[in-house]
Amino acid sequence: MSNNVSGVGTRLSAIAIAQDESQLKAVELGKQGGAFEVLWTKSSEMGRTDRRLFAAECGLSVKPTGQTKTDGDKIVVVGFDSTGVAFYRIDVPAAKEEEIAAMVRLQAEARLPLPAEQMELAWRADRGQDGQMAVTIAAARREYLQGFVEDVRGFGPAKILLDCEGIVKAWRAFFSGGERRAVVVSIGSRNTQVCLAEQGRLINAVSLDMGMKDFSAVQEDSIGGQAETTERFAQDMRSVLELFGYAEPAQLPVFVLSDGNGAIESIVSCLESAGLNAAAALPEIKKLRAQMELGAEDVYEYRVPIGLALMALEARAEELNIFEHLYNPAGEAKKKRWLYSPKAACAIAAIMLSALVIVSYAVDVVNLKYLRASASGVNMNRLMERQKLIKTVARGRPDLLQLLNEVNTKDSGGILLDSVHFKKGRPVSISGQAPGNDQLYKFQAALMSKKGITEVEIQNATLIKAGGGSSPQRQGGARGGRLKFNMTFHYKSFTRKGTRT
């Protein structure tokens, strides 16, 4: 495909830059009349990963202040390597957004490899079902993210997106992807991105340290060497599917992005032989127009920036924005600097204080008039009844954040919670992992000692072996693995049928 970077009029388009290990790649994707067109592509030389210089080669402004758009209506976005991001999948009770955010952070902190103040989080909740919400969490080291921001600040992209979300988007749009839950595999030269997708959105992801070079390195070796490499890859894939919650590999379709070459077809055959429901996903060229010759190998090669550009054009703001607190485009940054400047803050505080005095005085005057008008006693009785009703309703609302705080006790002895299910009239159900029997029983006792928590029962506990597989719990602990458990308990009177608070 040609690497010509030329202007193409004023149609709506997006330029996306992504790093493919030791090389940078860029695409401009145009949209006109509901159709998408690849306007140009560009790749850096191998080993050259200076984003500022590459952006200049793509015709972007690299002024110190940066900018969010080039000439016309071209949106600029850049992809962040997801191998440096950890993903978690949890369940929380359906609640208001601010309550969900607090519950997510509380559960995430128990899983983070570093203290919370050194990490950045982003989360996205699925639609609620039966009073529960599944949440995807992305976490990365703040220092690592800050270094990336400094690299791209010079050309000021409108957004920084996770490349694994671009992979899922490209698969959905141009590799025959569907709405059902599936695993999307993107094999690079040195690593492999394994993405769990549902309804066309990323819900979990894992990076494997194996790629095409690992397979090509054993092509000239003995048959035994090839078998060992492919079996290791298949075993890694089985472990990932188990992490995603699928103990039986055949339960979930696995789509390996491909350009039709024999090496990827061999990998797909290997996965099929290992019992996985695997298939190759080829690009649908007819879904993309181009101003140059466009083949399946081109769409495959530029799949990540194509997916990122498509995200920019859709502009639904549903991405996992892990850079939310670290990066703002130039225009937005100016607005926030004014808002958070000391003078502006003092002015706003003074205005708010004045408004508070005025509103408080007005409320007092209204209340005084209301009480005077209630001297007959009729309106006063209504007022008292109203206050009683408000208190009754408040007592009938469970504090989900308080409940999660009670469960996530600091002295839990290494307990990691996977989900918390709460629904009025039913016992609270929690699931998680414990280092062994002793820690599980101590956790049970700790819950029983909490005020408002009663009848704590361990429903089941299964030993998850270190090498994979599971077996029923046996007395004596969980040597060489962890216990996966389910537990139920009653929380105050909210979980009992036919009772009122």
Side-chain angles (χ1 to χ4, degrees):
M1 182 184 291
S2 171
N3 281 342
N4 181 37
V5 185
S6 59
V8 289
T10 58
R11 76 188 74 192
L12 178 63
S13 67
I15 298 174
I17 299 175
Q19 183 168 344
D20 184 3
E21 297 180 13
S22 60
Q23 190 178 26
L24 293 172
K25 295 180 179 179
V27 160
E28 182 174 358
L29 187 68
K31 181 180 181 181
Q32 191 171 29
F36 294 98
E37 181 177 10
V38 175
L39 304 178
W40 55 258
T41 67
K42 188 173 183 63
S43 297
S44 70
E45 296 179 3
M46 295 297 294
R48 287 187 58 192
T49 57
D50 188 318
R51 295 180 182 84
R52 181 184 175 90
L53 291 177
F54 185 67
E57 293 174 5
C58 292
L60 303 181
S61 169
V62 290
K63 296 178 181 179
T65 57
Q67 60 182 38
T68 62
K69 291 187 178 182
T70 57
D71 56 324
D73 294 320
K74 301 176 185 177
I75 307 167
V76 181
V77 296
V78 63
F80 179 72
D81 185 1
S82 302
T83 57
V85 180
F87 292 87
Y88 306 97
R89 187 75 170 166
I90 64 171
D91 291 324
V92 299
K96 296 179 180 179
E97 184 175 350
E98 56 270 20
E99 292 178 336
I100 294 175
M103 290 187 282
V104 165
R105 178 162 290 277
L106 195 61
Q107 290 207 45
E109 287 179 357
R111 294 167 165 79
L112 297 179
L114 296 172
E117 59 270 15
Q118 298 180 29
M119 304 289 290
E120 283 292 324
L121 297 178
W123 61 273
R124 179 171 58 209
D126 296 344
R127 292 181 179 178
Q129 186 175 4
D130 296 329
Q132 293 293 129
M133 300 185 76
V135 179
T136 296
I137 303 173
R141 188 172 181 176
R142 182 174 299 156
E143 183 181 3
Y144 184 36
L145 300 178
Q146 288 172 333
F148 187 85
V149 168
E150 294 305 313
D151 281 347
V152 303
R153 195 182 296 279
F155 58 94
K159 288 183 179 180
I160 303 176
L161 306 171
L162 298 179
D163 62 0
C164 58
E165 291 213 90
I167 290 171
V168 171
K169 183 63 69 175
W171 166 75
R172 176 71 181 87
F174 304 121
F175 286 80
S176 304
E179 295 291 326
R180 60 176 175 165
R181 181 171 290 198
V183 169
V184 183
V185 180
S186 179
I187 305 176
S189 59
R190 292 292 186 186
N191 63 65
T192 297
Q193 292 279 12
V194 186
C195 307
L196 181 61
E198 185 176 43
Q199 300 295 321
R201 297 197 310 176
L202 176 81
I203 61 174
N204 209 336
V206 171
S207 179
L208 302 179
D209 60 352
M210 288 186 67
M212 293 303 300
K213 289 190 176 181
D214 294 281
F215 291 96
S216 61
V218 298
Q219 284 183 354
E220 299 180 358
D221 291 351
S222 63
I223 296 177
Q226 281 186 311
E228 181 181 352
T229 301
T230 53
E231 174 56 31
R232 182 161 65 92
F233 183 73
Q235 178 60 43
D236 287 346
M237 285 296 300
R238 283 195 294 264
S239 298
V240 171
L241 293 184
E242 186 175 336
L243 177 67
F244 289 163
Y246 292 86
E248 297 296 329
Q251 292 179 340
L252 195 63
V254 177
F255 295 99
V256 182
L257 301 186
S258 172
D259 58 357
N261 72 68
I264 295 180
E265 294 296 330
S266 298
I267 295 173
V268 172
S269 297
C270 158
L271 296 178
E272 287 180 308
S273 299
L276 275 68
N277 183 13
L282 296 170
E284 292 185 298
I285 305 300
K286 62 182 180 181
K287 289 188 175 182
L288 273 172
R289 297 185 302 188
Q291 295 190 352
M292 71 291 290
E293 184 180 350
L294 184 71
E297 64 279 2
D298 300 312
V299 179
Y300 175 78
E301 180 183 356
Y302 291 92
R303 61 195 181 278
V304 176
I306 286 175
L308 296 175
L310 183 58
M311 290 178 66
L313 290 175
E314 290 187 346
R316 293 180 179 175
E318 292 182 342
E319 69 273 2
L320 289 164
N321 188 7
I322 202 168
F323 289 88
E324 182 177 3
H325 304 294
L326 300 178
Y327 175 76
N328 290 292
E332 294 182 19
K334 289 179 181 178
K335 293 178 183 178
K336 289 203 170 187
R337 279 197 297 270
W338 180 87
L339 183 61
Y340 289 107
S341 67
K343 291 182 179 179
C346 290
I348 292 171
I351 294 171
M352 291 180 66
L353 181 59
S354 300
L356 177 62
V357 171
I358 294 170
V359 171
S360 297
Y361 174 76
V363 169
D364 286 343
V365 170
V366 171
N367 285 340
L368 181 59
K369 290 182 178 179
Y370 182 78
L371 290 175
R372 286 174 177 172
S374 304
S376 62
V378 177
N379 288 338
M380 181 63 72
N381 289 337
R382 289 181 181 176
L383 180 62
M384 297 298 292
E385 289 297 327
R386 181 187 175 196
Q387 291 300 109
K388 288 180 181 179
L389 179 60
I390 292 174
K391 290 180 180 180
T392 301
V393 171
R395 285 197 303 266
R397 290 176 178 171
D399 189 337
L400 298 181
L401 188 55
Q402 180 185 0
L403 171 61
L404 201 61
N405 269 304
E406 296 286 359
V407 175
N408 278 280
T409 176
K410 292 184 178 180
D411 55 353
S412 57
I415 299 290
L416 288 179
L417 293 183
D418 296 326
S419 65
V420 179
H421 292 264
F422 173 86
K423 189 172 184 179
K424 271 193 171 185
R426 296 181 184 178
V428 177
S429 174
I430 62 176
S431 65
Q433 298 181 36
N437 287 325
D438 291 342
Q439 291 86 346
L440 181 58
Y441 294 141
K442 288 180 181 178
F443 180 61
Q444 181 187 26
L447 286 180
M448 294 178 66
S449 66
K450 300 285 185 180
K451 184 178 180 181
I453 294 180
T454 57
E455 299 181 32
V456 183
E457 297 182 1
I458 301 172
Q459 298 298 321
N460 58 66
T462 304
L463 176 60
I464 305 299
K465 299 177 182 177
S470 62
S471 62
Q473 176 189 0
R474 292 181 173 86
Q475 196 66 29
R479 297 181 181 178
R482 295 178 64 87
L483 289 176
K484 190 173 181 65
F485 68 88
N486 289 293
M487 187 179 291
T488 62
F489 59 85
H490 282 287
Y491 180 56
K492 298 182 179 178
S493 62
F494 299 116
T495 56
R496 299 183 185 277
K497 293 183 179 180
T499 59
R500 295 182 180 179
T501 307

